[in-house]
């Protein structure tokens, strides 16, 4: 669908023409019309499908047509899981709204709060915030949301994964009940649906493409390799494959720093991005990656959805993702806007169960590579147990265990410094008291029952 058919205000259409945007993506074509009618929207679409414009354009359109108040107040609120994604949303809002008087500001941790307090108290119409920093400013009494007319939750599933559910509920509870809410998520599990049901009123539901749609344009492969051999294998591929712009994903922050140091030591320019980096460090790493100063960005999952860089040729899963959805989002950093990309997964024997889950989710087996050092043969599938096989009873298993313990006890060595226990013979202290020599048990005094 052409943007001209979406009934957007002329300042927004002009900005879209300036940016060279003519055709709306499926999520934009389906979400923008009901959002312009002030309907609540529940959208499910993968990353890289144009969700940002799907909520940014309606928010700008609905707010720009209103009469400005004497004092600028926050009228639109967008919640984002990461600082990087918040900055990207603000950049998109500024680009789309460059011909409007609306002002936008980002609120996130890792930087000074004074400019953010000014934005909350009268210098911005639209706020894009991460839940943690926004809650902090709310507790300090800096947030006034009485005039908020529109709320957007972007990447809601990632915010839940990061533990922001209580913070999100507190923020939403501070907003006016009469508002418009747009709720976007890359996946739609039951917890997400429950959360959406609490916030939305009669929403228009939009589902774009199957779960693995992002992965279909990516040439995927897997290397079976021990964890200790992964560094050498990664260097090998950088030396032999055209990996001009690559994102490497690790499971932990420590691993991200370690991989970055190893690449740099071998002459490969790389930067790391994760939660322990300050906002300035993370933004500087992203900028260096975008302009080509460095060709490799090493990241953790927390930062995955904040990486929106064009022309990424390869994604390397140095550590396999914990779940299939995270794997799909990782490899979604490449093959964007219809381009082709490559994804290589390093699979340690201890990660084989995760690989099986990923392949089951994608409904296809990844191609196994055999062109690197230290590669292991493909693990053989485990045979399934037959349901008709008779299980051993608990009693018999207990008997075998008892016998094995008894046999082991006969051959076990005695404990060191163990004092021998005296037998109840003449030397036992109770022997004299019992009136015998201790070799036989004393006879109990029994009362004879009278005859009937």
């Amino acid at each position: 669908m052409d943007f001209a058919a979406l009934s957007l205000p002329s300042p927004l259409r002009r900005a879209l023409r300036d940016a060279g945007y003519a055709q709306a993506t499926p999520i934009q074509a389906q979400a923008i019309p009901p959002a312009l009618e002030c309907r609540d929207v529940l959208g499910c679409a993968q990353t890289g499908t144009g969700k940002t414009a799907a909520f940014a354009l309606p928010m700008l359109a609905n707010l720009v047509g209103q009469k400005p108040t004497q004092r600028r107040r926050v009228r639109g609120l967008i919640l984002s899981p990461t600082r990087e994604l918040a900055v990207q949303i603000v950049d998109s809002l500024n680009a789309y709204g460059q011909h409007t008087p609306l002002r936008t500001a980002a609120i996130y941790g890792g930087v000074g709060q004074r400019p953010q307090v000014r934005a909350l108290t009268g210098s911005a119409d639209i706020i894009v915030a991460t839940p943690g920093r926004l809650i902090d400013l709310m507790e300090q009494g800096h947030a006034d949301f009485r005039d908020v007319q529109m709320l957007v939750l972007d990447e809601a599933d990632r915010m839940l994964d990061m533990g922001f559910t209580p913070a999100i509920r507190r923020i939403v509870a501070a907003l006016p009940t009469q508002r418009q809410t747009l709720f976007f998520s890359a996946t739609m599990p039951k917890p997400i649906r429950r959360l959406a049901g609490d916030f939305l009123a009669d929403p228009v539901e939009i589902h774009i493409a199957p779960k693995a749609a992002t992965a279909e344009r990516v040439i995927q492969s897997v290397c079976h390799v021990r964890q200790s051999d992964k560094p050498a294998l990664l260097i090998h591929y950088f030396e032999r494959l055209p990996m001009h712009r690559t994102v490497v994903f690790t499971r932990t922050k420590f691993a991200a720093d370690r991989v970055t140091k190893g690449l740099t030591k071998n002459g490969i320019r790389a930067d790391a991005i994760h939660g322990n980096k300050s906002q300035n460090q993370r933004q500087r790493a992203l900028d260096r990656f975008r302009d080509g100063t460095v060709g490799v960005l090493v990241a953790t999952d927390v930062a995955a959805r904040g990486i929106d860089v064009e022309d990424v040729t390869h994604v390397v899963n140095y550590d396999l993702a914990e779940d299939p959805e995270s794997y799909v989002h990782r490899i979604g950093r490449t093959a964007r806007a219809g381009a082709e990309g490559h994804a290589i997964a390093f699979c340690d024997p201890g990660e084989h169960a995760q690989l099986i889950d990923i392949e089951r989710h994608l409904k296809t087996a990844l191609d196994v590579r055999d062109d690197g050092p230290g590669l292991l043969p493909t693990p053989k599938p485990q045979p399934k147990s037959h349901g008709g096989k008779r299980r051993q009873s608990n009693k018999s298993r207990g008997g075998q265990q008892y016998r094995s313990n008894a046999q082991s006890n006969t051959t076990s060595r005695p404990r060191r410094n163990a004092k021998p226990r005296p037998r109840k013979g003449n030397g036992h202290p109770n022997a004299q008291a019992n009136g015998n020599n201790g070799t036989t048990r004393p006879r109990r005094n029994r009362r004879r029952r009278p005859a009937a």
Side-chain angles (χ1 to χ4, degrees):
M1 178 183 290
D2 194 278
F3 277 115
L6 292 178
S7 302
L8 293 170
S10 57
L12 301 186
R13 293 200 303 270
R14 178 183 171 189
L16 290 172
R17 287 195 302 268
D18 294 344
Y21 297 143
Q23 295 293 321
T25 64
I27 185 66
Q28 295 165 0
Q30 296 185 42
I32 290 177
L36 290 175
E37 298 173 358
C38 296
R39 294 280 307 275
D40 285 0
V41 174
L42 175 61
C44 181
Q46 296 291 335
T47 55
T49 56
K51 290 198 302 295
T52 302
F55 62 76
L57 291 173
M59 177 173 283
L60 292 168
N62 291 344
L63 297 182
V64 74
Q66 300 176 4
K67 184 178 180 180
T69 58
Q70 188 174 8
R71 181 183 178 186
R72 195 181 298 270
R73 296 181 182 274
V74 178
R75 292 180 288 159
L77 176 62
I78 302 174
L79 297 181
S80 165
T82 64
R83 295 173 277 187
E84 289 74 25
L85 188 55
V87 171
Q88 291 174 19
I89 294 173
V90 168
D91 290 342
S92 297
L93 287 167
N94 290 335
Y96 301 145
Q98 58 182 308
H99 303 300
T100 71
L102 299 176
R103 296 182 182 178
T104 307
I107 292 179
Y108 46 77
V111 295
Q113 72 174 38
R114 185 172 299 178
Q116 300 177 0
V117 171
R118 287 199 300 267
L120 279 173
T121 56
S123 66
D125 301 282
I126 300 173
I127 293 293
V128 185
T130 55
R133 171 52 70 92
L134 187 57
I135 285 289
D136 184 25
L137 297 180
M138 288 172 60
E139 291 175 344
Q140 297 180 42
H142 297 307
D144 183 3
F145 294 140
R146 289 176 296 177
D147 296 315
V148 170
Q149 305 170 23
M150 198 168 181
L151 168 68
V152 175
L153 287 89
D154 189 26
E155 302 284 7
D157 53 345
R158 177 55 65 181
M159 286 194 282
L160 263 66
D161 290 342
M162 297 170 66
F164 284 137
T165 304
I168 292 173
R169 291 191 178 277
R170 287 184 59 188
I171 294 169
V172 174
L175 304 180
T177 55
Q178 297 297 322
R179 66 173 188 276
Q180 181 184 7
T181 304
L182 308 183
F183 191 105
F184 288 91
S185 179
T187 59
M188 201 61 64
K190 291 182 179 180
I192 295 293
R193 281 203 165 273
R194 285 195 295 268
L195 191 67
D198 294 340
F199 297 159
L200 304 177
D202 189 25
V204 176
E205 294 196 22
I206 301 169
H207 295 266
I208 301 297
K211 290 183 178 179
T214 305
E216 291 174 356
R217 301 188 305 271
V218 183
I219 301 174
Q220 303 173 70
S221 57
V222 61
C223 303
H224 295 283
V225 57
R226 292 184 180 87
Q227 192 72 28
S228 58
D229 294 329
K230 288 183 179 182
L233 183 62
L234 184 63
I235 298 298
H236 171 83
Y237 284 141
F238 271 112
E239 292 175 347
R240 287 163 176 78
L241 298 180
M243 303 170 72
H244 305 300
R245 183 171 289 180
T246 303
V247 181
V248 180
F249 284 103
T250 62
R251 185 176 297 110
T252 65
K253 307 166 191 175
F254 174 77
D257 289 334
R258 187 179 63 238
V259 170
T260 303
K261 291 179 181 178
L263 292 173
T264 304
K265 185 177 179 180
N266 284 271
I268 301 170
R269 306 192 71 175
D271 279 338
I273 178 171
H274 52 69
N276 280 356
K277 299 285 187 179
S278 69
Q279 175 59 27
N280 291 334
Q281 289 175 321
R282 294 167 74 164
Q283 192 60 47
R284 185 162 54 248
L286 278 174
D287 292 341
R288 284 160 52 87
F289 187 59
R290 284 195 183 96
D291 62 24
T293 304
V294 297
V296 184
L297 192 65
V298 186
T300 57
D301 279 322
V302 172
R305 300 197 188 189
I307 302 173
D308 187 9
V309 180
E310 296 180 355
D311 302 327
V312 173
T313 59
H314 290 74
V315 169
V316 177
N317 283 278
Y318 188 86
D319 297 315
L320 272 186
E322 293 292 340
D323 54 80
E325 287 79 9
S326 296
Y327 172 84
V328 172
H329 290 303
R330 283 182 176 187
I331 68 175
R333 301 310 101 196
T334 185
R336 300 176 79 88
E340 187 179 82
H342 298 262
I344 304 175
F346 290 0
C347 182
D348 178 80
E351 300 171 310
H352 187 61
Q354 297 160 234
L355 176 63
I356 293 176
D357 290 340
I358 291 170
E359 292 179 334
R360 186 181 294 116
H361 177 81
L362 299 176
K363 298 180 180 179
T364 184
L366 304 186
D367 294 333
V368 179
R369 303 185 71 101
D370 59 356
D371 57 345
L375 294 180
L376 302 174
T378 304
K380 296 181 180 180
Q382 296 294 329
K384 296 182 179 180
S385 59
H386 298 287
K389 185 177 180 179
R390 184 177 179 181
R391 294 183 60 187
Q392 196 176 17
S393 66
N394 292 333
K395 183 176 180 181
S396 62
R397 287 201 302 269
Q400 287 185 353
Q401 182 69 26
Y402 176 79
R403 286 193 297 270
S404 63
N405 289 342
Q407 292 173 359
S408 63
N409 289 339
T410 57
T411 58
S412 61
R413 298 177 59 184
R415 293 183 301 168
R416 293 183 178 180
N417 302 326
K419 296 182 179 180
R421 297 179 60 185
R423 297 181 60 185
K424 286 191 176 182
N426 294 330
H428 197 278
N430 294 336
Q432 300 298 327
N434 291 338
N436 57 35
N437 59 1
T439 58
T440 59
R441 294 179 60 186
R443 186 173 181 177
R444 294 181 180 176
N445 295 327
R446 297 182 181 177
R447 296 182 59 183
R448 182 174 298 178
R449 298 179 62 184

